[in-house]
Amino acid sequence: MRRWTEHPAETDVEAVVRRYFDLLRAGKIPEAEQLVDHPPVRHVLTSLWTGSAGASSGASAGADEWEQSLSWLRELDLGDFLWGDTGSHVYVEITHHAQTIEVGLSFWVRPTDAGWVVSGPSTLW
């Protein structure tokens, strides 16, 4: 997990978020989980599936169909990064075939005893 001794710059946080998303898209879930301060990413994957590939295919996410193959993640990209006024929260739009989907990811920067870390994501609809 990346740690900083002082509040990181927005570009540093965005680089961590991009790396996290790249790891998800590559199916490297354990590595993605180690990059940010966050519990397992199952809810993130479920939300991304529901808001993108599952929605466009008419498939149901209830049966965890998304787990059969994570290839659908390669159809997703990061959209705009929208920063909050305090510089501690960033909302990231997600696109599917160049269209912004209904679900986005929210990350925040927080201090810990060992330094500043990127936490999240939470999924926002």
Side-chain angles (χ1 to χ4, degrees):
M1 180 179 329
R2 177 72 197 267
R3 297 183 197 284
W4 294 269
T5 56
E6 55 189 46
H7 195 286
E10 290 179 2
T11 54
D12 292 332
V13 174
E14 289 178 11
V16 169
V17 170
R18 288 180 197 286
R19 178 71 180 139
Y20 173 86
F21 197 73
D22 286 345
L23 290 168
L24 285 183
R25 289 185 60 201
K28 297 180 178 181
I29 306 308
E31 291 93 334
E33 289 176 330
Q34 295 298 314
L35 195 58
V36 296
D37 180 34
H38 188 270
V41 299
R42 182 177 176 79
H43 82 280
V44 173
L45 295 175
T46 301
S47 294
L48 290 173
W49 167 261
T50 301
S52 64
S56 67
S57 71
S60 168
D64 294 333
E65 184 176 338
W66 60 265
E67 290 181 300
Q68 302 304 315
S69 168
L70 297 178
S71 62
W72 58 271
L73 283 167
R74 292 190 297 268
E75 298 175 0
L76 302 179
D77 284 305
L78 294 176
D80 291 336
F81 284 71
L82 308 168
W83 281 89
D85 294 338
T86 64
S88 293
H89 292 83
V90 62
Y91 172 81
V92 184
E93 294 177 336
I94 306 297
T95 64
H96 179 250
H97 297 292
Q99 298 286 5
T100 301
I101 63 173
E102 291 182 13
V103 65
L105 302 178
S106 177
F107 294 84
W108 56 100
V109 178
R110 68 179 190 88
T112 67
D113 291 340
W116 290 83
V117 298
V118 176
S119 294
S122 57
T123 53
L124 302 173
W125 293 85

